[in-house]
Amino acid sequence: MATRPRILGQLLVESGCISSAVLEELLAGARSHGERLGEALVRCGRASGEDLAKALSVQLGLPYAPPPLSPERAALEVVTPELVRAHALLLLALNARTLTAAMADPLDLAAVDDLQFQSGRRVEVVVASPDAVADGIEAHYGEGFSQLVEALPEELRASGPVEDREVLERATRRAPVVRLVDRILRDAIEAGASDIHIEETGQDVRIRLRVDGILRQTLDLPAASRRAVLSRIKVIAGMDISVRRRAQDGRIPLEHGGRRLTLRVSTLPVNGGEKAVVRILDSDAAPRSLEGLGMAGEDLATLRRLLGRGEGVVLSAGPTGSGKSTTLFAALSELDRDTRNVVTLEDPVEYRLAGASQIQVDRRAGLGFAEALRAVLRQDPDVVMVGEIRDRETAEIAMAAAVTGHLVLSTIHTTDAPGAITRLLNMGVPPFLVAGGLAGVVAQRLVRRLCGTCRGRGCDACVGGYRGRTGVYQVLTLTDALRDEVSGGGSSARLRRLVQEAGMRTLASDARRAVASGLTSPHEIARFLQSAEGSSAPCRHCSAPVPIGALACPACGQRRVRRCSCGKALERGWRYCPWCIRPARA
């Protein structure tokens, strides 16, 4: 057993999966964490479960069974489903004397002994990946969450805390725990969730999924699974399993359906236990163009003109989860990355972009956005994407780079496009720098898209009549009048008035355009408009939105305020204008 990691590692080196230097590094880390080499390789994303299964089959001289596993019906009935689940194996074939079993851990001699005892046959083992075995068990035995919980080891079913870290780590590597957590993660991915919330509520575990921006409760696990789920997630994310009273962050590389995903894990102590949130990132799902974002034709043409200039700062504005990064990567995907030096600064790297140099920001190592941006500007870039403008220093460097001829793309947290200008000025960025460097702003929100199959009536392919999301946009281009106003430090109300006079649509009007186009429903934008309408007030007669400062309702023509011939607003009951002393009816 002492030479097994070295032999397995050498096979992976010879097959080209890893280098010798990486092998030595992983061996040292595995020894310090009490991990097997295979677990360390998968956790760090250096090898897949199939790579390990192939190498293990060569090492042990056993056949390899590729996915999907196809067992004979007669083989499935030889032993009890409880034994199959307890040892994480799948029976593939049998004859009068032998039984063929696919196992992820072919050195589990206890499992082989149990199989031989129940079947009365000699067991022949083939090697398969853990995912292939788990998928086979689920497909052929109908494994549910209740069976997975019942099979958990006693150490994790106890009501009191497990103080021994080694005991806890060994328990989380047992097959029932692995399958339970794997089932939770894969069900969430297949449901199209962007986040998984795992919360300890007293003695139970509540699991909620965020699908199409809406958080829904999907599962309540009994108290017996409470410690198992969170502990297993911490182990595979590389966290300290014994720490429960401070926040931790980790990452899990995962293969699913031919895709390489990254799961970003964050844990936090809460009243009564601990909570984990898992963000699901598909680094290969970068948008190919701006066409699929749902942007109106006029706004799309305006944004492409901004990008085609090749200089200036273009900001994507909106709250968290509004699709800002997706818009920036869609823009980058349309740029020529063969003749241009494109560099991205991200935290974390969400999408892989061929032809671009992507840099992971690490504040703990002293490489924040501002420091990384300074270094990148010495690398002769043509286009720079900065994940987020969070402070004055980053904003000033970005604006200065734009003034000197670079195209800079970034995101900022504001409610609308004019608010992005106000936010930069409030950060302390000099007005002349904002006026000279900023080229345009794209404000956006995400709304649920009507299901193309049932058109909102509800079917098996959607959730409540919706499937996926589309964007609602507001595109602002800095005109000469706007630059003059920004240089003078103009107010947000004045900026909004100028952009409306220039013909820029509001987010609310673009939301109505999405309804008219059949992309979403009035009910969906009603929820959205409650937070989007910040620059209008309802008409007293028809309830249509009336822009602040407008004389009348654009829908019914009803006057909003009385005004004197001198232009001043008159209040009710006034018989004379107090400024020009004319009769109020004038």
Side-chain angles (χ1 to χ4, degrees):
M1 290 296 292
T3 61
R4 181 186 171 196
R6 188 176 299 110
I7 297 173
L8 178 62
Q10 191 60 40
L11 288 169
L12 291 169
V13 170
E14 293 172 358
S15 65
C17 290
I18 58 173
S19 64
S20 298
V22 170
L23 173 61
E24 292 301 324
E25 178 185 344
L26 288 172
L27 282 171
R31 282 192 292 268
S32 62
H33 288 87
E35 287 181 309
R36 293 180 177 179
L37 175 60
E39 292 175 338
L41 285 164
V42 173
R43 178 174 58 80
C44 298
R46 300 289 187 175
S48 67
E50 297 302 326
D51 293 333
L52 293 174
K54 292 175 184 176
L56 193 58
S57 70
V58 173
Q59 176 188 352
L60 300 176
L62 297 173
Y64 163 71
L69 301 177
S70 301
E72 296 176 359
R73 179 176 296 275
L76 297 174
E77 301 172 354
V78 172
V79 298
T80 62
E82 289 75 19
L83 186 145
V84 170
R85 297 187 184 109
H87 292 297
L89 52 87
L90 187 66
L91 305 180
L92 301 181
L94 83 160
N95 57 37
R97 295 184 178 181
T98 62
L99 179 65
T100 303
M103 300 176 62
D105 185 4
L107 296 180
D108 187 352
L109 301 181
V112 175
D113 289 342
D114 287 348
L115 277 178
Q116 292 183 156
F117 179 78
Q118 277 202 17
S119 66
R121 293 173 173 85
R122 182 171 57 85
V123 174
E124 294 181 351
V125 176
V126 299
V127 184
S129 68
D131 290 345
V133 174
D135 291 343
I137 292 174
E138 182 179 347
H140 297 286
Y141 288 93
E143 188 173 38
F145 282 103
S146 59
Q147 288 90 352
L148 290 171
V149 172
E150 289 174 3
L152 292 175
E154 291 298 327
E155 305 93 295
L156 298 177
R157 295 167 63 91
S159 58
V162 180
E163 301 295 344
D164 192 327
R165 174 176 174 174
E166 292 185 2
V167 171
L168 191 57
E169 287 189 350
R170 282 198 303 270
T172 57
R173 294 194 186 98
R174 299 272 295 276
V177 182
V178 173
R179 294 202 310 277
L180 174 61
V181 174
D182 186 73
R183 175 77 176 274
I184 291 171
L185 298 179
R186 294 182 183 279
D187 281 2
I189 293 169
E190 291 175 2
S194 60
D195 299 89
I196 309 169
H197 290 243
I198 303 168
E199 303 160 308
E200 293 185 352
T201 57
Q203 293 297 316
D204 296 331
V205 178
R206 179 175 65 171
I207 297 178
R208 297 189 290 171
L209 304 181
R210 188 176 296 279
V211 180
D212 294 337
I214 306 297
L215 195 61
R216 295 185 177 89
Q217 184 168 342
T218 60
L219 188 65
D220 270 326
L221 294 179
S225 63
R226 179 185 186 196
R227 190 162 291 105
V229 174
L230 285 172
S231 298
R232 175 63 187 171
I233 286 176
K234 283 184 174 182
V235 167
I236 59 179
M239 300 179 180
D240 191 336
I241 196 173
S242 63
V243 173
R244 296 174 54 84
R245 297 184 179 179
R246 72 166 186 264
Q248 294 190 77
D249 295 307
R251 301 170 72 83
I252 304 171
L254 181 68
E255 286 191 8
H256 182 78
R259 296 183 295 162
R260 286 183 176 268
L261 307 176
T262 299
L263 310 185
R264 218 171 62 199
V265 184
S266 171
T267 63
L268 190 69
V270 296
N271 185 30
E274 197 171 13
K275 175 178 179 177
V277 175
V278 182
R279 168 66 58 88
I280 302 172
L281 302 173
D282 187 351
S283 57
D284 294 325
R288 299 180 181 275
S289 69
L290 292 166
E291 295 285 352
L293 299 182
M295 194 175 290
E298 183 181 345
D299 288 341
L300 182 60
T302 301
L303 178 55
R304 282 175 169 159
R305 282 197 299 271
L306 291 174
L307 298 172
R309 290 170 53 183
E311 60 181 16
V313 174
V314 178
L315 295 178
S316 179
T320 300
S322 59
K324 300 186 295 296
S325 296
T326 301
T327 298
L328 292 189
F329 273 94
L332 288 173
S333 66
E334 293 197 353
L335 299 178
D336 182 5
R337 298 186 297 278
D338 293 328
T339 60
R340 288 182 174 184
N341 181 17
V342 179
V343 184
T344 71
L345 308 177
E346 305 171 65
D347 182 23
V349 175
E350 293 191 23
Y351 300 114
R352 290 193 184 96
L353 190 66
S357 301
Q358 296 181 264
I359 299 169
Q360 170 75 52
V361 172
D362 188 351
R363 293 180 186 81
R364 295 178 181 175
L367 189 69
F369 280 117
E371 295 81 7
L373 184 54
R374 282 198 192 92
V376 164
L377 292 176
R378 296 192 289 270
Q379 295 280 315
D380 186 31
D382 296 299
V383 182
V384 181
M385 194 277 276
V386 183
E388 183 182 349
I389 290 181
R390 300 177 179 176
D391 50 52
R392 172 183 175 179
E393 186 179 13
T394 306
E396 286 186 349
I397 299 170
M399 294 296 164
V403 170
T404 56
H406 299 85
L407 177 60
V408 181
L409 309 180
S410 189
T411 68
I412 193 168
H413 289 277
T414 58
T415 56
D416 61 2
I421 302 175
T422 308
R423 175 73 186 277
L424 291 170
L425 296 175
N426 290 340
M427 280 183 182
V429 182
F432 74 89
L433 203 55
V434 177
L438 188 61
V441 182
V442 181
Q444 65 183 84
R445 298 289 193 282
L446 291 178
V447 294
R448 290 180 294 172
R449 183 190 291 267
L450 284 174
C451 174
T453 303
C454 66
R455 303 305 301 169
R457 292 186 296 273
C459 65
D460 294 337
C462 66
V463 179
Y466 299 94
R467 186 177 183 183
R469 290 189 287 179
T470 187
V472 171
Y473 299 91
Q474 180 187 37
V475 181
L476 180 154
T477 302
L478 260 75
T479 61
D480 290 340
L482 271 175
R483 293 186 192 279
D484 292 340
E485 187 68 25
V486 172
S487 296
S491 65
S492 59
R494 173 65 178 161
L495 290 172
R496 284 189 173 88
R497 197 171 302 121
L498 284 175
V499 298
Q500 287 177 1
E501 291 173 359
M504 184 192 73
R505 282 202 298 259
T506 63
L507 284 166
S509 64
D510 196 55
R512 296 186 182 93
R513 187 268 314 169
V515 173
S517 302
L519 296 175
T520 188
S521 68
H523 174 76
E524 177 68 6
I525 70 162
R527 177 181 63 85
F528 159 75
L529 292 178
Q530 291 176 359
S531 59
E533 294 285 7
S535 58
S536 62
C539 174
R540 296 176 181 175
H541 294 268
C542 69
S543 300
V546 181
I548 300 299
L551 298 179
C553 172
C556 67
Q558 182 68 35
R559 280 184 173 272
R560 191 164 181 270
V561 294
R562 289 195 309 158
R563 287 190 181 274
C564 178
S565 58
C566 70
K568 299 293 186 180
L570 301 176
E571 294 184 10
R572 285 187 177 182
W574 286 5
R575 298 177 58 190
Y576 290 89
C577 173
W579 288 276
C580 68
I581 321 181
R582 291 191 179 108
R585 62 178 178 274

